[in-house]
Amino acid sequence: MEYRDYEKLIEIAKEARENAYAPYSNFKVGACVLTEDGNIYKGCNIENASFGLTVCAERVAMFNAYSGGERKLKAIAVVADTDGPVSPCGACRQVMMELGGEDMVVILSNMKGDHAIMTVRDLLPGAFTSKDMEK
C-alpha cells in the first residue's frame, strides 16, 4: 500500500465518523476496512444506554465486511478526535486478529491528520488465536 492509499482510507473513516451515535460519551469514532479485492466497508461507534451493548467503529466496519461476504481484509483505518492517533480497545484488537490476521495493516489517525501505521501483530503481541484451541 502506498501513502495515498492510507490518506484515502483516513478520509473515508472521517466520513464514517459523522454517522456515529455517541450521545453519552460524545466520543465519535469512524473506521473503514479495505479488502484484498479493493472493496471498502465503513463503520462508526454506536452507543447504548446499557453501556455494555455499545459497539466500536472498528468492529462495525469489520463485521460489515464479513457480513458482505469478504474474507480477506487488507487494512483498517480508524479516526477519532484525539490528541494523537487513536488507539483501539482490546476487544477491537482481538477481532482484528481474528478477522484480519496478524499482518493486516492498521492505520490509526486523528482529526488533525496525525497517524501511525502498523500491523495487528504490533497492536496485539502474543494474541490468543484459534490455534491456541487446537489440541
Side-chain angles (χ1 to χ4, degrees), residues 67-118:
S67 66
E70 302 286 354
R71 294 298 178 266
K72 294 182 180 178
L73 308 183
K74 184 175 182 179
I76 185 168
V78 188
V79 175
D81 191 9
T82 50
D83 288 336
V86 67
S87 183
C89 73
C92 288
R93 293 172 191 221
Q94 183 65 39
V95 173
M96 286 177 192
M97 180 63 76
E98 181 80 17
L99 300 184
E102 65 183 6
D103 294 321
M104 183 174 73
V105 174
V106 182
I107 306 154
L108 306 176
S109 189
N110 62 13
M111 298 303 289
K112 298 182 287 189
D114 300 323
H115 63 273
I117 301 167
M118 59 197 64

Side-chain angles (χ1 to χ4, degrees), residues 12 16 31-35 39-43 60-70 73:
I12 294 169
C32 75
V33 168
L34 173 67
T35 69
N39 297 320
I40 293 176
Y41 294 83
K42 296 189 250 183
V60 171
M62 288 183 286
F63 294 164
N64 279 337
Y66 252 67
S67 66
E70 302 286 354
L73 308 183

